[in-house]
């Protein structure tokens, strides 16, 4: 008994501690958006520009909601460009054809604007050396560097890849030129490299890494080195230094970071074993930190706590190598992780001295809430906004305070907060972003400012419609300024905002009768508002079960339809703004004048074996002067499925003929009069008799169809359905996103009809898969997403 109590207490304490994580005010909270192979965005290289924009906005909204404040966006996957480049062709992963333009759409420009509007940093992610990720995947454009300068290219046939040769001085110059083209022309907050320097070994294809491929380069450009491995590391070091120095010379506020492989050397620190960056891909990240040629480091610590690649050993070791630069570990949504693994890792980050944040791989996992981690970030780990850590070697001078915060009507006739740009500081900086604070009293001392719970938002503009606080006001607001290095000013003036007055209802007037089937409700309010909440009910007490509530209305009106006919309704409105929630208006009532809802009679629902000519009958609806009747082959009554549609019927029955034999049909009715019409009745289903009238016919499909799998995304089971109109040989084959064969799901002669196959993905990694149906006369493919 005592042991049970102790264990219970331990569990309770652990849960309690998890719930009491204390988010710091400053933390780098990053997420990678991978574009190579369409891992995160866009969903398809052939998606339309409008679809790509919607997907990117949705992803940024989700990232913002869960507290991400820095997006690392892949703009160069394999010597290509997801921006308007002066040197490299448009990416295949953007347009489906390398070199093909997306028109006026520039993804980098678009995401910079969208990220900055949300108060996020945008770091442009480059792969410096990878030239062709997989030879033969698609056609390489004539402007690609591998076509223009084949002498700069190292080809690695076992792994089917091409790399720029790091030992060539002209390659270093080319990389710097490409990156500085972006730094000069785009308002990026950072430049970021991933871990592809020299190619990784691959045991699956007997590739141990680079061997003699750079013989000629070593002979010509060894710079006095006799140790080729040391020379290779020096090639990478010089490129890193050249990029850093070039950025510093032009825009020193732009941050430069690299995410190297998480193990520097095998056996370092003690107990760590495995492939390492120093000896295999010639990456010496501690040297960059020693030489201060990076601003931040993001070691990819893609392992669990414990074992031969113990997260709790690797992270503290990296922290000792920081040398006054920033450390943000990279973390992955591994399919082998339990739901607690990432939580334990990010908690350990905050417990480890010198760790200033983290970066998550990848954004689509956050979008899909993999491992429930999105929920955790929103509710706990990132429950308050965070400013970025200051890089003291760049700038520590505070900007001046924003001027004259006020509350007034902004564009769109919505009330919000507005302030003036601060005066230029002594170092020539002004405000780049702003931090909005809120309090229930006028006092905002340093202790208040240091608490991130008091931050409403971090924004890139000098006006904001803040999220409406709960309860009545007044609430108090103040704004500080951030410069490009996130130095924060003191607070400007404190502004009190009162909650709004109760609205005055206008239309329909109280006790109005004979209201139409669509009503434009109108009201007014004298004070500033940001939104309204509208309620309508057939219960004067507005019982929850009988009340329709619409929140977030911006206009002073709302159209409502789908009400019941011949009914008494009650309605009211309350206003919200930055000062809180106002009182409800008075309650008005009205009566609808259009008819009641019709009730169907015969044939009853789910009746079978009916003739192809039959009479439909319904009960009279109060106040109806006519009826509309529809019969369809589909229960959603889409236009192509409707077989009978008539208006103006005076009677409560109608005869329908020429129906199809042995088919399901659906029918419904609405009632109308001079004030409009009711909503549709419920729909009844019936089935006609078979043509022989002796027994049901077997209804065979008349087309091929491959359906979407369900569920999708899935883990680990999903069902794939398909339809064939003839008896024939069927192949259902599974591929990975790159088109590599995985397995055959069905390979058999099947009868005509609808078939289904259940796919068990328990032994497969997370990712996007393609399933393809192949018959003699038909082929089709669809994507599905496995998330573990």
């Amino acid at each position: 008994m005592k042991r049970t109590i102790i264990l219970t207490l331990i569990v309770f304490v652990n849960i309690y501690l998890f719930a009491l994580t204390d988010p710091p005010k400053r933390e780098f909270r990053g997420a990678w958006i991978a574009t190579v192979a369409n891992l995160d965005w866009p969903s398809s290289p052939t998606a339309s520009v409008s679809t790509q924009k919607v997907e990117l906005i949705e992803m940024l909204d989700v990232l913002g909601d869960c507290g991400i404040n820095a997006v690392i966006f892949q703009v160069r996957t394999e010597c290509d460009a997801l921006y308007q480049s002066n040197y490299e062709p448009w990416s295949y992963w953007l347009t489906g054809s390398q070199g093909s333009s997306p028109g006026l759409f520039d993804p980098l420009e678009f995401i910079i604007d969208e990220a900055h509007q949300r108060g996020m940093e945008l770091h442009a992610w480059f792969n410096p050396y990878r030239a062709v990720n997989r030879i033969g995947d698609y056609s390489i454009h004539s402007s690609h560097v591998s076509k223009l300068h084949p002498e700069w290219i190292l080809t690695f046939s076992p792994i089917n890849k091409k790399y720029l040769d790091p030992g060539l001085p002209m390659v270093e110059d080319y990389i710097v030129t490409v990156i500085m083209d972006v730094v000069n022309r785009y308002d990026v907050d950072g430049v970021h490299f991933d871990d592809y320097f020299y190619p990784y070994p691959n045991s699956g294809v007997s590739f141990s890494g680079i061997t003699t491929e750079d013989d000629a380069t070593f002979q010509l450009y060894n710079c006095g080195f006799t140790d080729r491995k040391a020379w290779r590391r020096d090639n990478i070091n010089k490129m890193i230094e050249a990029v850093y120095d070039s950025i510093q010379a032009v825009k020193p506020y732009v941050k430069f970071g690299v995410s190297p492989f998480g193990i520097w050397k095998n056996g370092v620190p003690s107990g760590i074993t495995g492939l390492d960056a120093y000896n295999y891909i010639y990456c010496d990240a501690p040297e960059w930190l020693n030489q201060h040629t990076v601003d931040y480091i993001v070691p990819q610590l893609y392992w669990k706590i414990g074992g031969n690649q113990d997260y709790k050993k690797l992270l503290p070791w990296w922290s000792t190598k920081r040398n006054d630069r920033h450390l943000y570990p990279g973390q992955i949504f591994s399919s082998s992780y339990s739901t607690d693994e990432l939580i334990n890792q990010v908690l350990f980050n905050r417990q480890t001295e010198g760790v200033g944040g983290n970066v998550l791989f990848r954004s689509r996992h956050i979008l899909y809430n993999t491992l429930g981690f999105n929920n955790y970030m929103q509710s706990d780990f990132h429950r308050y906004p965070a400013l970025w850590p200051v890089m003291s070697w760049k700038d520590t001078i505070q900007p001046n305070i924003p001027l004259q915060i006020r509350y007034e009507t902004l564009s769109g006739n919505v009330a919000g907060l507005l302030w003036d740009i601060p005066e230029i500081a002594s170092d020539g900086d002004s405000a780049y972003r702003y931090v909005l604070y809120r309090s229930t009293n006028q006092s905002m001392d340093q202790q208040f400012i240091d608490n991130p719970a008091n931050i409403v938002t971090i924004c890139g503009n000098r006006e904001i419609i803040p999220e409406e606080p709960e309860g009545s006001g007044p609430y108090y607001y103040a704004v500080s300024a951030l410069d490009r290095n996130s130095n924060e000013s003191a607070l400007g003036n404190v502004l009190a905002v009162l909650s709004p007055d109760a609205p005055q209802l206008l239309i329909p007037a109280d006790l109005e009768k004979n209201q139409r089937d669509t009503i434009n409700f109108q009201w007014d309010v004298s004070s500033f508002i940001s939104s309204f909440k509208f309620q309508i009910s057939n219960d004067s007490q507005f019982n929850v079960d009988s009340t329709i509530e619409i929140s977030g209305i911006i206009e002073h009106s709302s159209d409502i339809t789908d009400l019941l006919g011949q009914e008494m309704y009650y309605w009211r409105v309350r206003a919200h703004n930055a000062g809180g929630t106002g009182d409800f208006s008075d309650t008005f009532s009205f009566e609808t004048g259009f008819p009641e809802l019709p009730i169907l009679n015969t044939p009853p629902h789910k009746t079978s074996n009916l003739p192809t000519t039959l009479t439909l009958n319904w009960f009279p609806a109060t106040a109806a002067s006519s009826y509309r009747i529809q019969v369809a082959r589909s229960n959603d009554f889409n236009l192509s499925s409707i077989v009978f549609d008539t208006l103006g019927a005076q009677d409560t029955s109608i005869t329908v003929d020429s129906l199809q034999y042995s088919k399901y049909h659906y029918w419904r009715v609405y009632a109308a009069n001079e004030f409009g019409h009711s909503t549709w009745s419920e729909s009844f289903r019936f089935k006609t008799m078979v043509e022989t009238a002796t027994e049901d016919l077997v209804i065979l499909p008349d087309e091929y169809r491959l359906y979407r799998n369900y569920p999708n995304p899935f883990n680990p089971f999903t069902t794939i359905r398909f339809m064939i109109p003839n008896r024939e040989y069927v192949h259902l084959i599974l591929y990975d996103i790159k088109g590599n064969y995985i397995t055959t799901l069905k390979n058999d002669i099947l009868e005509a009809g609808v078939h289904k196959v259940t796919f068990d993905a328990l032994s497969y990694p997370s990712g996007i898969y393609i399933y393809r149906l192949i018959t003699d006369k038909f082929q089709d493919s669809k994507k599905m997403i496995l998330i573990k």
Side-chain angles (χ1 to χ4, degrees):
M1 179 65 178
K2 184 182 293 185
R3 176 180 172 84
T4 302
I5 293 173
I6 292 172
L7 288 175
T8 302
L9 285 172
I10 290 172
V11 170
F12 176 78
V13 168
N14 285 339
I15 294 171
Y16 183 71
L17 289 174
F18 265 23
L20 288 181
T21 55
D22 191 13
K25 183 177 177 181
R26 290 186 179 271
E27 190 169 55
F28 189 92
R29 300 172 177 175
W32 282 289
I33 297 181
T35 57
V36 66
N38 303 121
L39 290 176
D40 286 320
W41 181 88
S43 59
S44 165
T46 57
S48 67
V49 167
S50 60
T51 297
Q52 291 182 356
K53 287 182 177 180
V54 168
E55 290 176 347
L56 209 49
I57 287 172
E58 179 187 10
M59 187 168 290
L60 290 176
D61 283 345
V62 172
L63 294 177
D65 288 344
C66 66
I68 297 299
N69 62 15
V71 173
I72 301 176
F73 179 64
Q74 191 173 25
V75 299
R76 185 181 191 251
T77 67
E78 41 191 329
C79 293
D80 54 4
L82 282 95
Y83 61 94
Q84 180 61 61
S85 173
N86 293 323
Y87 300 95
E88 297 184 316
W90 285 103
S91 174
Y92 166 85
W93 307 110
L94 179 68
T95 64
S97 175
Q98 192 179 75
S100 293
S101 169
L104 298 177
F105 178 45
D106 185 326
L108 179 55
E109 181 178 62
F110 182 81
I111 196 172
I112 288 172
D113 289 343
E114 292 292 334
H116 286 176
Q117 286 177 30
R118 291 163 174 79
M120 295 175 172
E121 286 192 349
L122 192 287
H123 294 225
W125 165 14
F126 298 82
N127 188 293
Y129 293 112
R130 186 172 61 197
V132 179
N133 186 43
R134 184 176 174 84
I135 298 170
D137 266 4
Y138 54 81
S139 297
I140 303 300
H141 193 259
S142 58
S143 65
H144 191 265
V145 66
S146 65
K147 298 282 190 179
L148 297 176
H149 294 285
E151 71 278 11
W152 293 359
I153 300 297
L154 298 176
T155 301
F156 300 95
S157 298
I159 56 173
N160 220 20
K161 297 180 187 295
K162 293 184 178 183
Y163 277 66
L164 290 171
D165 187 344
L168 295 173
M170 54 285 286
V171 165
E172 178 185 306
D173 292 342
Y174 178 69
I175 291 171
V176 172
T177 298
V178 167
I179 290 164
M180 293 311 298
D181 177 50
V182 169
V183 172
N184 281 308
R185 294 191 297 114
Y186 292 87
D187 187 21
V188 295
D189 299 287
V191 168
H192 186 89
F193 285 173
D194 56 24
D195 57 328
Y196 289 97
F197 297 103
Y198 284 90
Y200 275 99
N202 188 330
S203 58
V205 291
S206 299
F207 177 70
S208 59
I210 187 170
T211 52
T212 60
E213 290 86 354
D214 57 355
D215 276 353
T217 307
F218 185 59
Q219 293 299 319
L220 290 172
Y221 301 103
N222 58 46
C223 300
F225 279 90
T226 57
D227 181 344
R228 191 180 302 197
K229 291 185 176 182
W231 168 73
R232 288 172 180 161
R233 283 187 286 272
D234 187 63
N235 293 334
I236 304 301
N237 293 346
K238 287 192 296 186
M239 185 273 294
I240 295 289
E241 182 179 10
V243 170
Y244 181 79
D245 289 346
S246 298
I247 294 172
Q248 286 293 112
V250 176
K251 293 183 179 179
Y253 58 81
V254 171
K255 302 170 183 179
F256 179 41
V258 186
S259 54
F261 187 69
I263 299 175
W264 176 57
K265 284 184 180 180
N266 185 38
V268 178
S270 178
I272 295 297
T273 61
L275 177 73
D276 68 65
Y278 188 85
N279 291 300
Y280 288 95
I281 60 173
Y282 307 102
C283 165
D284 190 5
E287 179 65 12
W288 314 333
L289 294 166
N290 289 337
Q291 298 302 318
H292 285 172
T293 53
V294 292
D295 292 311
Y296 68 90
I297 199 81
V298 188
Q300 297 177 24
L301 303 183
Y302 294 168
W303 300 283
K304 295 180 183 179
I305 293 171
N308 293 330
Q309 298 84 36
D310 188 351
Y311 188 92
K312 283 196 172 182
K313 290 183 179 179
L314 286 165
L315 181 61
W317 181 86
W318 278 102
S319 182
T320 66
K321 302 300 176 184
R322 287 178 298 115
N323 196 23
D324 296 323
R325 288 301 189 255
H326 285 185
L327 168 63
Y328 318 132
Q331 294 166 284
I332 196 169
F333 289 87
S334 173
S335 60
S336 67
Y337 283 4
S338 69
T339 54
D340 290 337
E341 180 64 37
L342 266 181
I343 293 175
N344 290 329
Q345 289 186 15
V346 296
L347 290 174
F348 184 65
N349 292 348
R350 285 188 181 161
Q351 297 164 7
T352 303
E353 182 181 358
V355 177
N358 68 323
V359 184
L360 295 167
F361 187 80
R362 327 176 254 113
S363 290
R364 190 162 290 276
H365 285 295
I366 300 173
L367 192 69
Y368 290 154
N369 196 25
T370 301
L371 300 175
F373 197 67
N374 187 334
N375 292 343
Y376 172 67
M377 285 190 288
Q378 291 193 52
S379 64
D380 193 337
F381 198 66
H382 293 169
R383 67 183 182 274
Y384 307 133
L387 282 61
W388 303 263
V390 172
M391 294 183 171
S392 59
W393 56 95
K394 288 184 177 290
D395 167 29
T396 58
I397 298 175
Q398 290 181 336
N400 286 317
I401 63 172
L403 303 172
Q404 286 299 108
I405 183 173
R406 53 205 182 270
Y407 193 60
E408 58 186 52
T409 300
L410 306 179
S411 59
N413 201 34
V414 178
L417 296 163
L418 176 68
W419 53 88
D420 295 335
I421 298 172
E423 296 177 356
I424 301 300
S426 60
D427 62 350
D429 281 352
S430 184
Y432 183 60
R433 292 186 179 92
Y434 299 93
V435 186
L436 178 65
Y437 294 87
R438 178 168 57 211
S439 176
T440 55
N441 61 72
Q442 200 162 4
S443 175
M444 295 187 185
D445 57 15
Q446 192 59 49
Q447 185 176 1
F448 174 91
I449 294 168
D450 290 340
N451 185 354
N454 298 318
I455 298 175
V456 178
T457 188
I458 302 166
C459 57
N461 301 317
R462 61 182 187 91
E463 62 178 53
I464 188 74
I465 302 169
E467 188 174 305
E468 299 150 356
E470 295 292 334
S472 58
Y475 283 89
Y476 298 86
Y477 292 85
V479 180
S480 66
L482 298 176
D483 64 14
R484 297 294 302 233
N485 194 32
S486 297
N487 293 297
E488 185 178 15
S489 74
L491 295 183
N493 63 292
V494 177
L495 175 72
V497 180
L498 302 177
S499 55
D501 298 332
Q504 302 296 311
L505 304 188
L506 301 176
I507 300 174
D510 196 19
L511 303 178
E512 283 277 7
K513 298 184 182 299
N514 292 327
Q515 293 302 293
R516 296 191 59 83
D517 51 8
T518 297
I519 304 174
N520 178 245
F521 293 86
Q522 298 179 29
W523 57 87
D524 203 357
V525 67
S526 58
S527 52
F528 293 120
I529 63 94
S530 54
S531 74
F532 294 100
K533 178 183 290 182
F534 174 93
Q535 288 185 340
I536 185 169
S537 178
N538 54 14
D539 172 22
S540 62
Q541 301 303 309
F542 293 89
N543 183 283
V544 173
D545 294 335
S546 62
T547 299
I548 299 171
E549 182 174 281
I550 305 173
S551 298
I553 299 172
I554 304 301
E555 302 295 331
H556 291 229
S557 64
S558 181
D559 287 335
I560 302 293
T561 188
D562 291 342
L563 298 176
L564 296 176
Q566 303 296 297
E567 185 79 16
M568 173 75 80
Y569 280 99
Y570 304 87
W571 67 289
R572 62 184 182 178
V573 181
R574 75 191 312 173
H576 304 264
N577 67 9
T581 300
D583 294 331
F584 268 113
S585 65
D586 294 336
T587 298
F588 277 14
S589 67
F590 64 89
E591 293 182 34
T592 53
F594 54 93
E596 287 184 335
L597 188 73
I599 298 175
L600 305 188
N601 185 10
T602 59
H605 188 39
K606 296 184 179 179
T607 307
S608 298
N609 203 32
L610 296 179
T612 55
T613 297
L614 78 160
T615 299
L616 308 175
N617 180 270
W618 57 94
F619 295 103
T622 302
S625 58
S626 65
Y627 299 92
R628 181 178 182 180
I629 306 94
Q630 285 186 340
V631 181
R633 289 292 320 285
S634 170
N635 63 356
D636 62 0
F637 290 84
N638 65 74
L639 189 61
S640 62
S641 73
I642 293 175
V643 297
F644 181 84
D645 189 352
T646 186
L647 279 166
Q650 303 293 311
D651 202 353
T652 56
S653 65
I654 196 165
T655 301
V656 182
D657 58 12
S658 301
L659 299 174
Q660 292 178 279
Y661 283 103
S662 194
K663 297 290 186 181
Y664 284 113
H665 294 77
Y666 302 83
W667 69 288
R668 64 182 183 177
V669 180
Y670 74 55
N673 67 12
E674 60 182 305
F675 301 111
H677 63 79
S678 71
T679 56
W680 286 104
S681 67
E682 64 176 321
S683 62
F684 277 10
R685 189 189 76 191
F686 63 86
K687 186 178 182 182
T688 51
M689 68 177 67
V690 297
E691 193 168 10
T692 60
T694 57
E695 59 181 350
D696 278 356
L697 294 174
V698 176
I699 308 302
L700 296 178
D702 57 2
E703 63 178 350
Y704 292 93
R705 182 171 298 178
L706 177 61
Y707 298 93
R708 295 281 181 191
N709 63 299
Y710 183 83
N712 191 34
F714 67 98
N715 177 27
F717 298 100
T718 191
T719 298
I720 301 169
R721 296 170 58 248
F722 57 89
M723 182 167 67
I724 56 175
N726 307 298
R727 183 177 187 271
E728 57 187 308
Y729 218 110
V730 172
H731 306 269
L732 184 63
I733 303 174
L734 185 69
Y735 301 89
D736 65 19
I737 189 60
K738 295 182 179 180
N740 299 314
Y741 170 82
I742 301 296
T743 188
T744 297
L745 301 175
K746 179 65 72 173
N747 183 24
D748 205 354
I749 297 176
L750 301 178
E751 301 295 333
V754 177
H755 301 269
K756 65 180 181 180
V757 175
T758 298
F759 172 46
D760 178 359
L762 188 62
S763 61
Y764 294 88
S766 298
I768 300 174
Y769 293 86
I770 297 171
Y771 57 97
R772 185 166 186 82
L773 180 68
I774 304 173
T775 74
D776 288 341
K777 300 177 182 178
F778 177 79
Q779 293 189 23
D780 193 14
S781 301
K782 296 193 184 301
K783 288 182 180 179
M784 59 183 176
I785 302 171
L786 171 61
I787 297 179
K788 293 187 174 180

